[in-house]
Amino acid sequence: MNEEKNSNDFEKKHTNLGKKISLSIIAILIVLGIFIFILGHQYVKESLKPLNPKDKELIQVQIPMGASDKKIGSILQESKIVKSGLVFDYFVNSHNYSGLKAGYYELSPSMSLQKIADKLKKGGTAQPLQGKYGRLLVREGDNIDEIAQSVDQSSKYSSDDFKNLMKDKDFLNQLKNKYPTLLSSAFKAKNRKYMLEGYLYPATYNSQKNVTLKQIVNQMVAKTNYEFSPYFKEIKKQNLTVDEAITLASFIEHNHVDKKDQEKIAGILYNRLNSNLPLEVQSSIRYANGKVSGQKLSKKDYDADTPYNLYKNTGFPPSAINNPTVKSLDSVLNPKDMTTFYLAYSVNINNKKVKYYNSDKDVDDLIGNDSVMR
């Protein structure tokens, strides 16, 4: 009897010990799992940040044709641009960055993953960027006066050289003959500040010492033709000229807002055109008067007798006011919320939030306010 009792006690103790060991192992595994999760989460979080915010050095990187997102991430990690190629691959896929392009890029460890992905989405140069002169960046929404400054800084040519070439009739006619579908409607417009405004696509160009200024501009116009030509048929279908579509795109580009707001702003521009109302785009007045974005406009500016004054004149101005991207052109051709019949909008310069209005009266009190623009 005692032996049986002792046996049961032993089995009970053994079972309890087994349970304790099992529970201890489970607890250890849970703690280990949480620890690994926290470490992994922290690693991903840190990898999403710039590798070194203080390191502004530009490093040349070549992305080969057909490289996968995973391969691109690996190249960026090996080039010491990002902390983790795997995290970069995760980032571009989770943020729907499809179609990253081949080419030569100059990237910095101080850039965020979003900025790097944006650059890879736009495309690089076909040739290496080397030497003091070798890379000339046209930023999104730059106008010709701003590009002239970049030419002065990033090539052997001066800003005056560039501006003079922008008025060289023989050169301009050569470009027109080379790209008739792209440029013909622009050449029909009168009183343009610059014939090629809107046609120098935002990208990085080869500006090495052996490259002529005409060749640099040819690169820009060729890039514009390449990016915009898939839209020519749709532009015609919507009863617009190429120049009109690019002009509307330049208004949208100026605001630097997201795609959804771009499409809604396009709808407002069409609503005003269809109602024979002045477009009332402040940035067009700034362009005519040489004022920078956000710079306060005076009553004299609003009363200025210029075809770029879209408060006094209906319809289109003589030209675009900057050089837009294909994203803005696509928004022009795919406007949204036109049936809501918004007629005005304002953009907060600080946070890029857009407000929409059904009448001009609702936005009139914002005119001249440094915190908004249209």
Side-chain angles (χ1 to χ4, degrees), residues 77-176:
Q77 182 177 340
E78 290 172 2
S79 302
K80 296 184 173 21
I81 301 297
V82 301
K83 183 175 183 179
S84 169
L86 288 175
V87 173
F88 179 81
D89 180 38
Y90 159 77
F91 176 83
V92 296
N93 283 284
S94 62
H95 289 74
N96 297 318
Y97 277 99
S98 59
L100 300 184
K101 298 177 181 177
Y104 289 91
Y105 297 85
E106 286 197 322
L107 305 172
S108 167
S110 64
M111 292 178 179
S112 66
L113 296 194
Q114 181 177 348
K115 188 169 184 179
I116 293 169
D118 284 340
K119 285 182 173 291
L120 294 172
K121 178 79 173 176
K122 292 170 197 168
T125 62
Q127 300 180 35
L129 303 168
Q130 298 173 346
K132 182 180 179 182
Y133 303 130
R135 58 188 184 275
L136 195 160
L137 174 65
V138 176
R139 294 173 294 270
E140 296 176 354
D142 273 1
N143 60 40
I144 283 179
D145 286 332
E146 290 166 332
I147 295 173
Q149 296 173 17
S150 297
V151 168
D152 193 82
Q153 296 166 3
S154 304
S155 77
K156 65 181 181 181
Y157 305 102
S158 70
S159 59
D160 286 339
D161 291 335
F162 181 75
K163 289 181 181 180
N164 288 336
L165 185 60
M166 292 295 100
K167 297 175 182 178
D168 185 325
K169 291 183 178 179
D170 289 337
F171 175 63
L172 294 174
N173 281 322
Q174 289 173 16
L175 289 173
K176 176 191 171 186

Side-chain angles (χ1 to χ4, degrees), residues 122-314:
K122 292 170 197 168
T125 62
Q127 300 180 35
L129 303 168
Q130 298 173 346
K132 182 180 179 182
Y133 303 130
R135 58 188 184 275
L136 195 160
L137 174 65
V138 176
R139 294 173 294 270
E140 296 176 354
D142 273 1
N143 60 40
I144 283 179
D145 286 332
E146 290 166 332
I147 295 173
Q149 296 173 17
S150 297
V151 168
D152 193 82
Q153 296 166 3
S154 304
S155 77
K156 65 181 181 181
Y157 305 102
S158 70
S159 59
D160 286 339
D161 291 335
F162 181 75
K163 289 181 181 180
N164 288 336
L165 185 60
M166 292 295 100
K167 297 175 182 178
D168 185 325
K169 291 183 178 179
D170 289 337
F171 175 63
L172 294 174
N173 281 322
Q174 289 173 16
L175 289 173
K176 176 191 171 186
N177 293 333
K178 189 174 182 179
Y179 304 103
T181 307
L182 177 69
L183 293 173
S184 289
S185 57
F187 276 69
K188 294 177 182 177
K190 296 179 180 179
N191 301 313
R192 292 176 75 94
K193 188 174 180 181
Y194 294 109
M195 189 62 68
L196 292 182
E197 193 74 86
Y199 298 89
L200 307 179
Y201 198 83
T204 303
Y205 297 97
N206 179 14
S207 61
Q208 296 183 57
K209 286 188 175 182
N210 62 336
V211 179
T212 68
L213 187 54
K214 288 184 178 180
Q215 287 174 328
I216 293 173
V217 175
N218 260 294
Q219 291 177 62
M220 296 177 183
V221 179
K223 176 70 171 173
T224 305
N225 189 67
Y226 173 79
E227 295 289 346
F228 287 172
S229 58
Y231 294 87
F232 288 162
K233 286 184 179 179
E234 184 61 28
I235 290 171
K236 187 176 181 180
K237 184 179 177 181
Q238 296 197 22
N239 295 316
L240 292 169
T241 66
V242 172
D243 197 56
E244 288 171 342
I246 290 176
T247 296
L248 293 177
S250 73
F251 295 156
I252 292 171
E253 188 72 47
H254 173 79
N255 293 306
H256 299 294
V257 295
D258 64 30
K259 191 71 163 62
K260 183 179 177 181
D261 283 317
Q262 284 189 335
E263 291 168 346
K264 292 179 74 170
I265 290 172
I268 290 173
L269 296 175
Y270 281 121
N271 282 341
R272 297 192 70 89
L273 287 170
N274 294 337
S275 302
N276 201 32
L277 293 170
L279 288 174
E280 295 195 353
V281 178
Q282 292 177 0
S283 50
S284 185
I285 297 177
R286 290 191 179 91
Y287 175 77
N289 296 347
K291 291 192 172 183
V292 299
S293 176
Q295 191 171 353
K296 190 172 182 178
L297 296 176
S298 65
K299 185 178 184 302
K300 184 178 178 181
D301 290 320
Y302 285 106
D303 292 338
D305 185 18
T306 166
Y308 287 95
N309 187 343
L310 301 184
Y311 279 76
K312 294 182 67 174
N313 303 301
T314 57

